[in-house]
């Protein structure tokens, strides 16, 4: 949507007459650092035929002024976080908005929310149009703020896109388009998000957003991830500068990532990490992942050392001894994309094979933690489990001298996009080393090699198919987002599961009882001495709303009027824990993540129940040796 808005603005700048004949046109790209705002601004300027007015500088500037061919004026705020050269009475962005509207010119502004918050505070005492525009940009509901400017506002709000046409005395004075760059993930599709059918004087045609569940993606066709195209192009550019060498794992990485199908599958894996972590990967994060997938955690300072190490291992791989040859090939294979990504940040001392692994720089951050959390070895393939058994069956053939890769290619066609000549040589080396007819092959040695090769192949097959750990649950969450976005509800099974974990049935009852005289609102055993209040479970329902890359849940208590009893986010961990429950039993390690949140939700429900007017409350007093119910 951001590109469509910038392209439409470029067309108007190149074809439009002097803006004194019409309203000002303002386009805002709003998002966090690293979301591609400045890149879009550069792409926009490459399309515009304009004469730069701002003097050249060695450093990036806050804004750039241009004169357009037909006399109009264009201002591009490249980075609103850079302070202006001269102090202003009001916020610099507010002044730039005011100038654009008063001079009926064009404005493209790249802004993050921190700047908007600062400008809103600075303009609290003001009442101009510019202050209203900033408050509108910050508004969660997209409503136009009440002010004393007598401005009439015709607005459109699609969540990721907003439009406002401002009028004064029945005359249009500005058309404002806002695109929120961080509304959805860069690992989702960006195709068909909108178009400018009638210029920027009217709203862009914004189509309803939808996520692409990772288990339903067609990596061959592409288009399911906005980042897949740039990733494969960058890999192809890198590959063009690397000499052919079938023993070079880094070249093999570039060869694979340059294939659009492989790039799409890797983006599906990254998307799983994003949903699991509940975070939002920026372009900076994704380019860091790309670099790591290509050359590991090496830095420019260590490139020469890495090249020397690769050369040494390639020489060792020429050994005629099967075990020595395999040891060198395994060391080289540790640099393949699917190995360096999921071993990211793992200490060398914790990696038992190969023993000659390259000594990477020690790095660790939240983004790499997210990647490690979706290691396919933790939970391989879709939840049916048949893929695990199939792959295991194919891999056992290597003990009998067979090469599993051909069988795997027939089973999963996407696997071929990740297979290289390097992998063929590695597979042959494993087969030769395990061949009992080629020499002595101890059971302990065979088990170690088979264990390592299993890790290598399971990760490779999962990456080739776009299967992060818990891929079925990740896909289920994406389907839930789409349903919430369309219908503001959850599917029945998920709603029942969430209610069962938030409002669990008490022992021997169909209702929920929460303690009222304890410091924490938690479920109790029947034998616990307590005073509890009954919460009628059948009176609660869930409303779901898609908001950005989140699903907001509202727990509503029905009655003469529906009451919002609590609000929370349906993230991966809450969904996983809820669906794992069966009759209030069973749990996952996600419980440790969501337990504090569950306690807050229950406290809110308890407060709503106690404060409900016109309803009798059922209390239950439990004491040692028996229980009694008290009605009031």
């Amino acid at each position: 949507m951001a590109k469509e808005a910038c392209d439409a603005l470029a067309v108007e700048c190149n074809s439009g007459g002097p803006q004194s004949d019409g309203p000002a046109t303002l386009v805002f790209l709003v998002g966090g650092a690293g979301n591609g705002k400045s890149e879009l601004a550069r792409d926009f300027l490459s399309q515009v035929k304009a004469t730069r007015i701002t003097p050249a500088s060695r450093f990036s500037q806050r804004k750039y002024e241009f004169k357009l061919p037909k006399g109009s004026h264009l201002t591009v705020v490249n980075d609103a976080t850079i302070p202006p050269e001269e102090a202003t009475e009001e916020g610099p962005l507010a002044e730039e908005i005011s100038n654009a509207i008063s001079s009926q010119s064009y404005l493209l502004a790249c802004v993050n929310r921190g700047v908007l918050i600062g400008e809103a505070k600075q303009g609290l005492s003001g009442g101009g149009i510019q202050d209203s525009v900033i408050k509108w940009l910050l508004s969660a509901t997209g409503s136009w703020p009440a002010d004393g400017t007598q401005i009439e506002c015709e607005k459109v709000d699609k969540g990721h896109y907003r439009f406002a046409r401002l009028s004064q005395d029945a005359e249009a004075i500005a058309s404002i388009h806002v695109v929120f760059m961080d509304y959805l993930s860069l690992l989702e599709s960006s195709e068909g998000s909108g178009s400018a059918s009638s210029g920027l004087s009217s709203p862009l045609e914004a189509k309803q957003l939808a996520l692409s569940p990772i288990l339903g993606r067609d990596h061959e066709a592409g288009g399911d991830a906005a980042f897949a195209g740039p990733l494969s192009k960058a890999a192809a550019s890198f590959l063009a500068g690397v000499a052919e060498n079938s023993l070079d794992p880094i070249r093999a990485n570039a060869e694979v990532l340059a294939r659009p199908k492989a790039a799409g599958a890797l983006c599906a894996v990254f998307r799983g990490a994003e949903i699991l972590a509940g975070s939002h990967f920026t372009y900076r994060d994704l380019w860091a992942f790309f670099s790591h997938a290509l050359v590991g955690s090496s830095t420019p300072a260590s490139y020469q050392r890495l090249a020397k190490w690769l050369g040494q291992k390639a020489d060792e791989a020429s050994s005629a001894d099967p075990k020595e040859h395999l040891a060198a090939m395994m060391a080289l294979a540790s640099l393949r994309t699917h190995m360096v990504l999921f071993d990211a940040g793992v200490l060398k001392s914790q990696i038992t094979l190969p023993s000659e692994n390259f000594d990477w720089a020690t790095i660790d951050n939240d983004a790499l933690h997210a990647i490690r959390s979706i290691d396919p070895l933790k939970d391989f393939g879709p939840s049916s489990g048949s893929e695990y058994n199939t792959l295991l069956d194919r891999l056992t053939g290597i003990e009998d001298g067979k090469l599993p890769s051909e069988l795997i290619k027939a089973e999963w066609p996407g696997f071929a996009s990740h297979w290289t000549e390097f992998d063929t040589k590695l597979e042959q080396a494993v087969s030769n080393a395990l061949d009992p007819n080629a020499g002595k092959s101890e059971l302990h040695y065979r088990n170690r090699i088979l264990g390592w090769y299993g890790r290598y192949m399971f990760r490779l097959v999962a990456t080739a198919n776009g299967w992060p750990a818990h891929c079925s649950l990740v896909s289920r969450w994406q389907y839930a987002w789409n349903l919430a976005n369309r219908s503001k509800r959850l599917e029945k099974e998920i709603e029942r599961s969430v209610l069962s974990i938030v409002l669990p049935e008490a022992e021997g009852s169909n209702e929920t009882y929460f303690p009222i005289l304890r410091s924490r609102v938690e479920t109790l055993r029947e034998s616990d001495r307590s005073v509890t209040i009954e919460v009628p479970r059948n009176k609660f329902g869930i409303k779901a709303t898609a908001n950005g890359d989140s699903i907001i849940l509202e727990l509503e208590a029905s009655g003469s009027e529906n009451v919002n009893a609590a609000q929370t986010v349906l993230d991966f961990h809450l969904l996983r824990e809820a669906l794992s429950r069966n009759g209030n039993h069973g749990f996952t390690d996600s419980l440790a993540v969501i337990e504090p949140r569950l306690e807050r939700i229950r406290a809110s429900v308890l407060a709503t129940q106690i404060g409900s007017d016109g309803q009798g409350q059922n209390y239950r007093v439990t004491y040692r040796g028996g229980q009694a119910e008290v009605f009031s």
Side-chain angles (χ1 to χ4, degrees):
M1 195 70 190
K3 188 177 187 309
E4 287 85 352
C6 290
D7 289 347
L9 181 60
V11 170
E12 291 218 356
C13 288
N14 289 332
S15 61
Q19 281 289 92
S20 57
D21 296 337
T25 303
L26 292 75
V27 175
F28 293 91
L29 306 180
V30 180
N35 272 112
K37 300 184 296 296
S38 296
E39 181 68 26
L40 270 175
R42 281 193 293 271
D43 182 58
F44 161 76
L45 287 174
S46 70
Q47 303 177 57
V48 176
K49 303 170 185 177
T51 302
R52 177 169 163 169
I53 302 173
T54 306
S57 171
R58 293 173 53 196
F59 306 103
S60 295
Q61 296 174 271
R62 173 186 174 84
K63 65 180 180 180
Y64 301 92
E65 307 279 353
F66 298 89
K67 184 177 181 181
L68 298 174
K70 296 185 179 181
S72 300
H73 189 84
L74 166 67
T75 300
V76 176
V77 180
N78 176 62
D79 187 349
T81 61
I82 300 176
E85 295 181 359
E86 298 180 2
T88 58
E89 292 185 3
E90 57 185 347
L93 181 62
E95 185 176 83
E96 287 148 0
I97 293 171
S98 177
N99 290 340
I101 294 176
S102 61
S103 63
Q104 296 176 298
S105 58
Y106 296 102
L107 172 68
L108 173 65
C110 303
V111 189
N112 63 43
R113 289 182 176 80
V115 169
L116 294 175
I117 292 171
E119 294 258 351
K121 289 181 178 179
Q122 196 167 348
L124 286 177
S125 59
I129 300 175
Q130 63 274 17
D131 297 319
S132 297
V133 170
I134 289 173
K135 292 175 184 175
W136 177 65
L137 292 175
L138 272 175
S139 168
T141 60
S143 58
W144 187 258
D147 54 37
T149 59
Q150 303 301 313
I151 294 294
E152 296 179 6
C153 177
E154 175 192 343
K155 61 185 185 299
V156 173
D157 187 0
K158 297 292 185 179
H160 65 299
Y161 165 75
R162 289 181 187 173
F163 169 80
R165 183 185 293 112
L166 306 185
S167 302
Q168 193 168 30
D169 299 328
E171 182 177 350
I173 59 174
S175 296
I176 306 174
H177 301 260
V178 187
V179 182
F180 296 99
M181 301 278 290
D182 51 3
Y183 191 84
L184 276 192
S185 169
L186 296 168
L187 299 167
E188 294 287 349
S189 174
S190 61
E191 294 183 355
S193 56
S195 61
S197 58
S198 57
L200 290 179
S201 59
S202 300
L204 297 177
E205 182 185 347
K207 298 180 181 179
Q208 187 175 48
L209 295 175
L211 304 188
S212 301
I214 59 174
L215 289 185
R217 293 188 177 187
D218 181 1
H219 305 306
E220 187 73 54
D224 285 324
F227 186 65
L231 188 154
S232 62
K233 289 178 182 177
S237 177
F238 180 89
L239 181 63
V242 181
E244 289 194 22
N245 183 351
S246 61
L247 292 179
D248 184 355
I250 291 179
R251 177 181 169 80
N253 293 342
E255 184 182 332
V256 168
L257 296 178
R259 300 167 182 165
K261 187 173 184 177
L266 186 62
C267 284
V269 172
F270 290 161
R271 179 61 171 143
E274 193 175 43
I275 291 174
L276 206 73
S279 59
H280 196 94
F281 294 155
T282 65
Y283 272 114
R284 293 177 188 176
D285 294 323
L286 294 176
W287 284 122
F289 290 156
F290 166 75
S291 176
H292 199 104
L294 200 59
V295 295
S297 60
S298 56
T299 61
S302 65
Y303 284 163
Q304 286 188 344
R305 187 166 59 88
L306 177 60
K308 182 179 178 181
W309 184 88
L310 287 169
Q312 176 188 340
K313 291 302 166 188
D315 291 340
E316 293 175 8
S318 63
S319 172
D321 181 274
K323 291 186 177 180
E324 292 181 4
H325 173 64
L326 177 58
M329 289 299 296
M330 290 169 61
L332 291 169
S334 68
L335 271 68
R336 288 284 276 117
T337 292
H338 57 283
M339 298 300 282
V340 292
L341 272 177
F342 300 121
D343 284 336
V346 178
L347 297 177
K348 182 180 178 181
S349 59
Q350 297 176 358
I351 301 177
T352 56
L353 277 175
S355 57
E356 295 297 324
N357 198 6
F358 182 70
D359 189 15
W360 297 108
T362 302
I363 57 170
D364 203 11
N365 53 51
D366 291 340
L368 289 181
H369 273 295
I371 294 296
R372 290 208 301 273
S373 71
I374 48 93
D375 186 345
L377 298 180
K378 297 181 177 181
D379 185 69
F380 178 81
S383 57
S384 65
S386 61
E387 288 79 5
Y388 173 87
N389 294 326
T390 299
L391 179 55
L392 196 61
D393 180 64
R394 301 294 183 269
L395 291 178
T396 55
I398 201 163
E399 295 189 78
D400 301 322
K402 299 176 183 178
L403 301 180
S405 58
E406 293 305 318
L407 295 174
I408 295 174
K409 288 177 187 177
E411 189 71 36
W412 297 290
F415 177 74
S417 67
H418 275 66
W419 193 256
T420 66
E421 187 178 354
F422 175 88
D423 299 302
T424 299
K425 290 181 178 293
L426 173 66
E427 184 179 50
Q428 188 63 61
V430 172
S431 179
N432 292 341
L434 295 177
D435 184 2
N437 298 321
K440 187 178 179 181
S441 181
E442 301 89 351
L443 180 61
H444 178 66
Y445 174 78
R446 291 173 63 86
N447 288 340
R448 290 176 68 220
I449 297 304
L450 287 170
W452 179 89
Y453 187 63
R455 290 175 62 235
Y456 186 89
M457 292 300 288
F458 268 87
R459 284 174 168 177
L460 180 56
V461 171
T463 304
N465 285 292
W467 295 341
H470 311 293
C471 57
S472 291
L473 201 55
V474 168
S475 221
R476 187 84 177 266
W477 184 91
Q478 291 173 295
Y479 280 115
W481 190 98
N482 286 338
L483 183 59
N485 191 45
R486 291 194 309 268
S487 308
K488 295 188 180 300
R489 64 182 179 87
L490 296 175
E491 59 178 282
K492 289 299 182 182
E493 182 186 3
I494 294 179
E495 182 176 9
R496 285 195 300 268
S497 298
V498 172
L499 284 173
S500 71
I501 193 174
V502 172
L503 303 175
E505 294 180 357
E507 295 181 19
S509 172
N510 293 325
E511 304 297 348
T512 298
Y513 288 89
F514 288 143
I516 59 175
L517 299 177
R518 293 197 177 195
S519 59
R520 296 186 60 187
V521 181
E522 55 191 355
T523 56
L524 303 174
R525 294 173 300 178
E526 190 174 357
S527 59
D528 289 339
R529 288 182 292 181
S530 62
V531 178
T532 58
I533 187 171
E534 180 183 285
V535 179
R537 300 176 76 250
N538 61 349
K539 292 186 178 181
F540 284 87
I542 296 178
K543 176 183 176 183
T545 306
N547 185 3
D549 210 22
S550 302
I551 304 173
I552 309 299
L553 303 183
E554 294 180 15
L555 193 63
E556 294 183 332
S558 61
S560 56
E561 293 184 4
N562 286 354
V563 177
N564 187 347
Q567 183 171 300
T568 190
V569 173
L570 179 65
D571 57 7
F572 169 85
H573 294 286
L574 180 57
L575 179 62
R576 181 188 181 204
E577 182 67 18
L579 292 177
S580 73
R581 297 299 178 100
N582 183 14
N584 294 341
H585 300 292
F587 61 92
T588 70
D589 55 6
S590 290
L591 181 59
V593 178
I594 67 168
E595 201 163 26
R597 187 159 29 124
L598 287 177
E599 200 276 334
R600 291 193 295 271
I601 297 170
R602 291 164 179 166
S604 181
V605 170
L606 178 62
T608 301
Q609 183 66 21
I610 292 175
S612 57
D613 296 328
Q615 296 183 17
Q617 306 293 350
N618 291 339
Y619 296 92
R620 185 171 70 174
V621 179
T622 305
Y623 49 89
R624 191 180 301 277
Q627 66 182 34
E629 291 186 355
V630 180
F631 299 90
S632 62

